Amino acid sequence: MDCVTRKLHRLVTAAVVGSFAFSSTAMAGQLTVLCWEGYADKSFIEPFEAESGCKVNAVYVGTNDEIVSKIMSGSGTADLISPSNDTTMRLVSADAVSPIDESKVPNMANFLPQFKRPAWDVKDGKLWGVPYGWGIIRVIADPAVVDPKTDTLGFLWDAKYAGKLSVWDDIETVYTASRYLGFKNTYDLSDEQLEQVKAKLIAMKPNIRKYWFTTGEMGTLMASGEAVGGNSWESTIVQLRADGKKIADLMPKEGRGGWSDSWMIVKGAESNPCVYPFLNYVSSAKAQALAHKVTGFGYPNVHVADELDEKTRATYTELGMTDPATLTNVDWWQPVKRRAKYLEIWNQVKAAAN
Amino acid sequence: MTTIEQTVEIKRTSIRSARAIERRRLFLWLVPPLAWFTIFMLIPYATLLYTSLGHVDDMRFIPGLSLDNFVRVFTVDPYLSVIIKSARIGLMTAVFSSIVAYPLAFYLAFHVRTQRLKFLIYLLVIVPWWASYLVKAYAWKTILGSGGILNVGMQSLGLVHEPVRLFLYNEFSVDMTLTYIFTPFAVLSIYAQLERVPTSLIEAARNLGADGWMIFRRIILPISVPGVVAGAIITFSLAFGDFVAPVLVGGPDSVMISNVVINLLGVAFDWPMAAAIGLVIISLGLLLISASGWLEERTQTRF
């Protein structure tokens, strides 16, 4: 045997032995979760595995559609999923998930009132999901240019800010215009209303420097002065404030969009003994604080702030993530039946000449 | 039977059996390309066609035999206008790339004397490809932005007092970025064609009293046309299908057809519509390639 073959042989042996060693440390139970990246980070999953003896296998997904199509087609043998509030009811209606036995998730008692039985998780008096990461689509502005006391979305159309604003390249911006027009049925607009929304969004275009694609990009646009206002997620505000830039977090009277993910039990998985220990664990303030460090999102447990280090706690509370007042006047996302139509409207807006 | 006839007969059978072996071999040789063609071309295209004829109802794909999606591509805003816009961006990229690439390819082919220098320039053309596309596209932000190198430079020279905002976040910056990124393809394609110009032809022209301009106009340029066409087709196609540049450096109206397709797949879950757009683009691409093949054939100079 020459040197190379011997090395190869050793490598193969090591791999075989290694895989045996791995499989021999079988755990008490197995749990497969279909979730967003960061929702099964080892910083808080490893303690759970050690404590419960349940091995967690995470499959990451990029869109809610991926969760739906995997569950509907039965190709994903998942126990738990983490869809957003524009998808949860669709799964409930499709009879793809099982209701939650709240008595087995005692940590939910410490949730903010808005997340105890939110509309997007309740049907027929039963709870179908355990709320998890959430956030509000913030309306932000540079206080040096835009009056920080501005209380309406109207400034987005103010000709004063020609070429100086940036909004999200997403149908959330369609929702924003609908809120400004005073439509209460943001997620179920008629054709006529959608035409008005489209006209309104095209009217906003002269003010748009760029439609942002990632929250980091919006941060860069604001930091470099390319943009002086628009909408974004909390992370943009955190990033900008950390860099010493003053950012106004506006409270428009027309309301703001809100997203919230929930852990849901795939039908049949409720018998898996690892499911409820996991749900209760991820609902604890400690686990949610660790999760916040990874994702930067809001979490429903009121005690999350207490578990954070001082600096993170300061930004978390400054954003009002622990204050129920922040959660008033939030137009929480809902399933949009005609999402293709909304998207078509949005693409028409983008393709329209400035 | 005479011996001669026997020999001929034997020969005939051996030729026949040789042919049979040949046929069997041929079949064996054909299997890999046929399999490749079936697995990577026929099946995907058939799937695409199948998908495009159906529709989606509440997240579920319903197969069908309807041409509605194709009608929508051509009649409902914004699909056709976005395809046209993408084609315009592709065309601008192809034109700019050719203009930038030609002098360099020309210099490389006729004026660089040493092999080492030639290799070095060749390398300089290729090396940017080692860097990620994203990094290069992003670099243009830092060059063209309000606080970018260009603006800071112009301000410090006193040429302007306010940062010029026209450089970034519009169709021009998309054209610019795509031109920068795809120009190497044009350089290589034009250079390959210029290399084929026989020196004897140039020497003969010189002996007959032609000056440099005339040699370029009457000999080099006509011979190089197929290279320019090939380079333009490559850069056009790459730019036409791009979706990163409009997102990074494009303005509020710089949406390209690939961005729309991505949205249809990811946000709207409208796979049939996305498939229909894909097929329309593939058909347009086939037309374009046939046209360019014809054009290359027509413009090819034979010696």
Side-chain angles (χ1 to χ4, degrees):
Chain A
M1 234 195 271
D2 65 330
C3 180
V4 177
T5 337
R6 213 174 311 143
K7 260 191 199 150
L8 202 70
H9 181 76
R10 215 178 298 155
L11 211 70
V12 170
T13 319
V16 171
V17 171
S19 64
F20 271 116
F22 183 73
S23 58
S24 66
T25 57
M27 299 236 183
Q30 293 260 345
L31 197 59
T32 304
V33 296
L34 206 62
C35 63
W36 313 116
E37 208 166 339
Y39 274 26
D41 191 79
K42 60 177 193 263
S43 65
F44 54 93
I45 290 301
E46 271 173 3
F48 169 73
E49 288 180 329
E51 173 193 306
S52 66
C54 293
K55 170 103 185 72
V56 177
N57 307 309
V59 179
Y60 294 130
V61 289
T63 65
N64 279 295
D65 295 328
E66 225 174 299
I67 298 180
V68 175
S69 63
K70 278 206 165 94
I71 296 303
M72 299 286 200
S73 65
S75 65
T77 48
D79 299 300
L80 290 166
I81 48 176
S82 68
S84 310
N85 44 345
D86 55 358
T87 306
T88 46
M89 237 351 109
R90 267 183 16 213
L91 291 161
V92 175
S93 308
D95 200 24
V97 288
S98 294
I100 306 283
D101 181 351
E102 284 160 88
S103 67
K104 291 183 182 164
V105 195
N107 279 331
M108 277 189 82
N110 297 321
F111 278 14
L112 285 161
Q114 281 86 349
F115 293 110
K116 280 192 173 156
R117 289 183 80 85
W120 57 88
D121 280 335
V122 176
K123 196 187 177 190
D124 304 332
K126 278 187 261 184
L127 185 74
W128 298 83
V130 178
Y132 196 54
W134 63 274
I136 289 171
I137 313 305
R138 307 280 171 154
V139 180
I140 61 173
D142 182 343
V145 186
V146 181
D147 180 7
K149 287 197 284 294
T150 305
D151 68 342
T152 167
L153 292 168
F155 82 101
L156 295 171
W157 282 269
D158 193 331
K160 261 197 299 198
Y161 309 120
K164 291 194 167 162
L165 302 178
S166 181
V167 290
W168 190 7
D169 185 355
D170 186 272
I171 51 175
E172 163 61 28
T173 299
V174 173
Y175 307 157
T176 306
S178 149
R179 284 177 209 124
Y180 181 65
L181 287 167
F183 300 145
K184 295 294 163 220
N185 51 335
T186 313
Y187 306 101
D188 189 23
L189 296 171
S190 67
D191 282 343
E192 198 186 316
Q193 286 173 318
L194 277 170
E195 281 307 313
Q196 289 182 52
V197 166
K198 181 171 125 189
K200 202 73 200 160
L201 285 169
I202 291 175
M204 195 205 276
K205 283 195 85 173
N207 279 2
I208 300 300
R209 177 70 169 142
K210 183 171 194 325
Y211 293 118
W212 61 261
F213 204 68
T214 64
T215 52
E217 184 187 9
M218 180 56 176
T220 319
L221 285 166
M222 293 288 289
S224 64
E226 296 273 4
V228 299
N231 59 5
S232 195
W233 291 35
E234 282 89 3
S235 58
T236 307
I237 304 181
V238 172
Q239 173 202 342
L240 286 165
R241 285 182 179 162
D243 293 344
K245 175 125 180 134
K246 283 202 164 43
I247 290 298
D249 181 10
L250 305 180
M251 298 279 184
K253 56 177 184 281
E254 296 88 354
R256 300 181 286 182
W259 63 269
S260 164
D261 297 330
S262 301
W263 284 110
M264 300 183 105
I265 305 172
V266 177
K267 204 166 184 128
E270 61 270 19
S271 56
N272 184 333
C274 288
V275 160
Y276 277 103
F278 181 88
L279 288 178
N280 195 41
Y281 172 78
V282 294
S283 300
S284 68
K286 207 177 179 86
Q288 297 199 340
L290 287 168
H292 172 75
K293 282 299 264 183
V294 177
T295 62
F297 299 157
Y299 286 88
N301 197 308
V302 279
H303 301 304
V304 166
D306 307 335
E307 300 285 341
L308 294 170
D309 61 80
E310 210 169 310
K311 209 171 139 231
T312 319
R313 187 190 309 146
T315 52
Y316 195 73
T317 42
E318 194 181 4
L319 287 166
M321 304 303 273
T322 48
D323 184 3
T326 315
L327 297 166
T328 55
N329 205 7
V330 172
D331 187 16
W332 293 101
W333 285 358
Q334 286 170 30
V336 174
K337 198 140 194 202
R338 298 196 307 152
R339 212 149 42 117
K341 180 74 188 169
Y342 276 56
L343 180 78
E344 197 162 271
I345 292 284
W346 179 235
N347 276 330
Q348 286 169 358
V349 169
K350 283 200 290 175
N354 270 25
Chain B
M1 223 188 257
T2 60
T3 33
I4 296 171
E5 274 173 333
Q6 268 172 342
T7 340
V8 169
E9 188 53 42
I10 287 166
K11 276 220 170 121
R12 273 202 192 125
T13 19
S14 62
I15 286 170
R16 227 175 287 138
S17 62
R19 279 212 183 118
I21 292 169
E22 196 76 349
R23 254 199 300 276
R24 242 172 289 148
R25 282 235 183 99
L26 187 71
F27 179 72
L28 273 178
W29 280 113
L30 273 176
V31 166
L34 274 178
W36 194 93
F37 185 74
T38 312
I39 295 169
F40 294 113
M41 311 283 277
L42 276 184
I43 295 174
Y45 284 146
T47 318
L48 204 60
L49 182 66
Y50 174 74
T51 312
S52 71
L53 297 176
H55 70 277
V56 165
D57 184 35
D58 196 25
M59 305 287 299
R60 268 186 310 272
F61 173 71
I62 318 282
L65 278 176
S66 138
L67 289 172
D68 279 358
N69 288 320
F70 292 94
V71 174
R72 266 173 75 202
V73 174
F74 290 102
T75 55
V76 176
D77 200 38
Y79 306 109
L80 189 62
S81 69
V82 172
I83 290 177
I84 292 169
K85 184 183 292 184
S86 308
R88 187 174 66 218
I89 291 173
L91 190 68
M92 295 306 265
T93 307
V95 170
F96 289 150
S97 300
S98 307
I99 293 172
V100 175
Y102 203 97
L104 181 63
F106 186 84
Y107 178 72
L108 206 55
F110 298 115
H111 289 278
V112 180
R113 297 268 172 254
T114 64
Q115 275 305 317
R116 193 181 293 175
L117 187 60
K118 195 171 264 192
F119 178 71
L120 189 74
I121 295 175
Y122 206 83
L123 211 62
L124 284 177
V125 173
I126 309 261
V127 156
W129 271 97
W130 295 356
S132 144
Y133 175 118
L134 273 177
V135 173
K136 287 182 287 179
Y138 219 90
W140 280 99
K141 276 186 152 188
T142 58
I143 296 171
L144 300 172
S146 294
I149 300 162
L150 192 58
N151 264 312
V152 170
M154 281 181 17
Q155 273 171 292
S156 60
L157 286 174
L159 294 172
V160 289
H161 300 291
E162 282 265 296
V164 181
R165 292 163 68 88
L166 278 176
F167 297 143
L168 190 57
Y169 301 133
N170 49 40
E171 204 170 301
F172 162 77
S173 51
V174 175
D175 291 339
M176 183 98 169
T177 305
L178 290 174
T179 300
Y180 164 73
I181 289 171
F182 296 132
T183 294
F185 289 101
V187 174
L188 297 183
S189 142
I190 297 172
Y191 170 71
Q193 187 70 16
L194 287 178
E195 277 277 272
R196 296 183 54 207
V197 177
T199 33
S200 56
L201 218 59
I202 297 172
E203 276 160 15
R206 204 159 265 151
N207 286 344
L208 292 168
D211 59 2
W213 173 243
M214 202 174 214
I215 292 173
F216 174 72
R217 225 172 48 90
R218 302 285 297 274
I219 298 172
I220 298 172
L221 192 62
I223 293 176
S224 66
V225 168
V228 176
V229 171
I233 293 297
I234 298 171
T235 46
F236 173 87
S237 311
L238 288 169
F240 181 85
D242 194 79
F243 55 91
V244 178
V247 167
L248 282 180
V249 299
D253 57 353
S254 306
V255 57
M256 287 175 75
I257 196 64
S258 300
N259 302 96
V260 171
V261 172
I262 292 171
N263 269 337
L264 285 170
L265 294 175
V267 183
F269 207 66
D270 197 347
W271 288 50
M273 187 63 192
I277 295 178
L279 279 176
V280 168
I281 292 173
I282 289 169
S283 316
L284 291 177
L286 280 177
L287 271 177
L288 185 76
I289 289 168
S290 323
S292 73
W294 176 78
L295 200 65
E296 267 186 72
E297 191 66 30
R298 284 266 325 244
T299 51
Q300 190 72 260
T301 320
R302 317 223 172 267
F303 339 94

